[in-house]
Amino acid sequence: MSCVKHPDETTRSVLATQADYNAYEAMQPRAPSPTPPELRNGARVKAADQRPEGVYLPNNNLLAPHMRSPEYVQMSTAAAMTLGIMPGRMHRCECTRCLNLLLTYPEGCRANCAYCGLARHREAERDYADRNFIRVDWPAVPVEQIVDIVARDPAASPFHRMCISMITHPRSDADTVAVLERWTRRIDPAAIPVSILSNPTTMSREDVVRLKDLGADIFTVALDAATPAIFDRTRGKGVESPHKWSKYWEILLAARDVFGPQKFGAHIIVGMGETEFEVLELVQRLVDLGGHSHMFCFFPEKGSLMDHLPATPRDQWRRVQLARYLLDYRGVRIDQMRFDDRGRVVDYGLPREELEGVIAEGIAFRTSGCPGKFREDVSACDRPYGDSPPSDIASFPFQPNRGDLRRIRRQLRIPVVRAEDP
Ligand code: SF4
């Protein structure tokens, strides 16, 4: 492990508050450390070859059992609690509306994305099934057990959506198909629609067509980086990782053709060194293609190559959250907005009163993602605390209340406009 002194969470958030945006120069990932050959590709898990017994709760003090997709998948802690296979409660949330599933193998993900807790460079430190991902642990569960529980009464399920997250692994394409088939064989996709969070690096257009034919509803590409330079630095050559910006766009455009308008999109992480103008330009491009953007606020994930860097300042995040919502759901265009010389939003392109209405509604500040059964602009994929701690919420997994909105306004530096104000 490199000897970088990692500022603790408080120091990082202090760092964050000092600059009101994360500049490109400040967001350089550290270099991945080489993994001893005897620890690569899940060698110790495969050598021990322990048989899994039902649900496996991540525990870095134990050697993980030998679990593989499509028999096993991992799921978010929120989904495990909502499914009733793990005890616990979430701060201010009853449940999550999305059953987020993740393919799993002892070899783990073969990519090395700098901000990700699952990345290959962590092989020496943690078995794949014990790595944290978007700030939480991901229990491993037999697919048949999950399907058994949900198939009892899909219409009454708390889940409005299921999502299969692919990783970079030789089996990933085939096992995504296998998991989808096991699900749709017993659960009607009309009752609980399915999203695919794809891994373009191993995919072709034919793979996209196949998933559509098997009943997938929405196809998303985890582009994550807002510019080619940040993509390369955080997911490509910069960190000895195989992903290419061009390949991600090839599959994204195939998804547009195959899944159609409003049924495809991209994940984007805000605060890895892009300007607000650059990320909103990308959002506008997706809107013009007929797709949606699903936003994540950069958080220094423990164990990642960026865990020494500041989380996205809330000022930057709120400006981008609001502007993205206006572009994606309110028909505003980026050329109606104004930006300062650092590419920060200074005008949202709406009359003050209209902007007031949008802010007061609060939906713009909720987690963005694939829709549920409430509204098109309310995400089922609420990812509770996936990009921020409960003490400083970035993406709200529930409707912000008056107190939350007061805080959001302070972060936006947009005071409440009263009727009598000039
Ligand atoms: S936003 Fe959609 S594709 Fe992305 S993780 Fe959520 S459900 Fe999956």
Side-chain angles (χ1 to χ4, degrees):
M1 281 303 287
S2 63
C3 56
V4 177
K5 177 151 180 358
H6 304 313
D8 61 22
E9 193 153 320
T10 341
T11 321
R12 278 201 298 274
S13 54
V14 169
L15 278 174
T17 48
Q18 266 150 9
D20 80 340
Y21 70 103
N22 282 347
Y24 182 83
E25 304 69 33
M27 297 304 286
Q28 174 66 45
R30 64 172 189 273
S33 309
T35 301
E38 69 279 9
L39 295 176
R40 291 180 190 158
N41 281 319
R44 62 179 165 219
V45 169
K46 290 190 283 189
D49 195 20
Q50 284 179 46
R51 294 290 92 213
E53 289 159 16
V55 175
Y56 172 74
L57 298 181
N59 181 340
N60 201 35
N61 304 319
L62 300 174
L63 183 64
H66 193 161
M67 302 169 292
R68 284 183 180 280
S69 295
E71 282 69 36
Y72 262 81
V73 288
Q74 291 176 250
M75 65 173 61
S76 64
T77 296
M81 288 179 188
T82 304
L83 200 61
I85 58 166
M86 191 176 158
R89 293 173 59 81
M90 290 175 278
H91 178 67
R92 294 177 65 185
C93 309
E94 283 309 305
C95 67
T96 178
R97 294 289 180 196
C98 190
L99 178 56
N100 292 91
L101 305 180
L102 176 69
L103 299 184
T104 191
Y105 311 92
E107 301 84 5
C109 184
R110 306 317 299 152
N112 227 12
C113 304
Y115 45 83
C116 184
L118 300 174
R120 186 186 73 233
H121 69 86
R122 300 191 73 193
E123 285 185 301
E125 177 202 334
R126 284 178 177 249
D127 299 329
Y128 185 71
D130 295 322
R131 291 177 208 166
N132 44 295
F133 178 44
I134 61 169
R135 302 190 70 253
V136 294
D137 284 340
W138 288 63
V141 187
V143 169
E144 287 315 316
Q145 183 175 348
I146 300 169
V147 173
D148 284 348
I149 296 171
V150 179
R152 283 181 208 140
D153 189 355
S157 170
F159 296 116
H160 289 188
R161 184 166 287 277
M162 186 276 270
C163 177
I164 305 171
S165 295
M166 301 173 67
I167 60 172
T168 307
H169 186 281
R171 290 282 318 163
S172 194
D173 301 356
D175 293 338
T176 301
V177 166
V179 170
L180 182 56
E181 285 177 330
R182 291 178 188 212
W183 178 270
T184 52
R185 210 177 289 143
R186 297 177 54 202
I187 300 165
D188 181 353
I192 302 180
V194 175
S195 292
I196 302 293
L197 178 56
S198 67
N199 172 66
T201 298
T202 56
M203 297 183 87
S204 66
R205 188 185 184 93
E206 290 64 41
D207 295 315
V208 179
V209 172
R210 185 140 188 242
L211 292 167
K212 171 78 173 145
D213 294 346
L214 286 169
D217 169 50
I218 290 180
F219 186 100
T220 294
V221 165
L223 196 62
D224 293 351
T227 69
I230 295 172
F231 188 99
D232 226 30
R233 178 166 82 168
T234 58
R235 326 198 56 195
K237 301 193 283 304
V239 283
E240 299 157 21
S241 194
H243 301 316
K244 291 193 172 35
W245 177 263
S246 55
K247 178 66 182 176
Y248 272 58
W249 277 94
E250 175 204 316
I251 295 298
L252 186 67
L253 295 174
R256 177 204 46 190
D257 302 343
V258 173
F259 280 76
Q262 319 306 318
K263 291 297 184 181
F264 71 96
H267 282 194
I268 307 171
I269 301 175
V270 174
M272 298 208 292
E274 77 293 336
T275 66
E276 294 163 35
F277 179 72
E278 284 170 330
V279 69
L280 293 167
E281 244 189 340
L282 174 58
V283 170
Q284 184 69 69
R285 189 172 170 196
L286 289 164
V287 169
D288 292 346
L289 289 167
H292 284 296
S293 48
H294 309 314
M295 313 301 274
F296 292 70
C297 183
F298 171 74
F299 182 86
E301 180 87 20
K302 199 162 178 296
S304 76
L305 299 173
M306 296 176 81
D307 64 5
H308 59 301
L309 298 173
T312 309
R314 290 298 175 263
D315 315 57
Q316 174 184 6
W317 171 246
R318 294 291 177 225
R319 288 191 294 267
V320 171
Q321 253 192 325
L322 179 55
R324 169 257 162 194
Y325 179 75
L326 297 174
L327 296 174
D328 220 341
Y329 289 99
R330 294 302 177 97
V332 177
R333 295 196 58 79
I334 194 167
D335 40 36
Q336 294 169 261
M337 296 180 172
R338 280 189 306 108
F339 299 83
D340 70 9
D341 57 4
R342 294 200 203 156
R344 295 176 296 191
V345 185
V346 291
D347 185 318
Y348 293 89
L350 268 191
R352 188 56 191 266
E353 238 156 270
E354 247 182 282
L355 187 66
E356 257 320 298
V358 173
I359 294 172
E361 205 182 20
I363 291 184
F365 310 106
R366 293 183 69 154
T367 309
S368 55
C370 299
K373 297 178 180 168
F374 299 135
R375 285 171 51 150
E376 265 308 300
D377 58 355
V378 172
S379 175
C381 187
D382 43 31
R383 305 186 295 275
Y385 312 108
D387 64 358
S388 58
S391 57
D392 187 11
I393 301 176
S395 299
F396 282 83
F398 45 77
Q399 184 59 23
N401 63 22
R402 286 163 66 91
D404 299 322
L405 286 173
R406 269 198 300 279
R407 186 171 190 179
I408 288 167
R409 285 178 184 286
R410 280 198 301 276
Q411 293 163 337
L412 279 170
R413 303 193 186 143
I414 297 182
V416 176
V417 172
R418 273 175 255 297
E420 65 276 12
D421 284 351

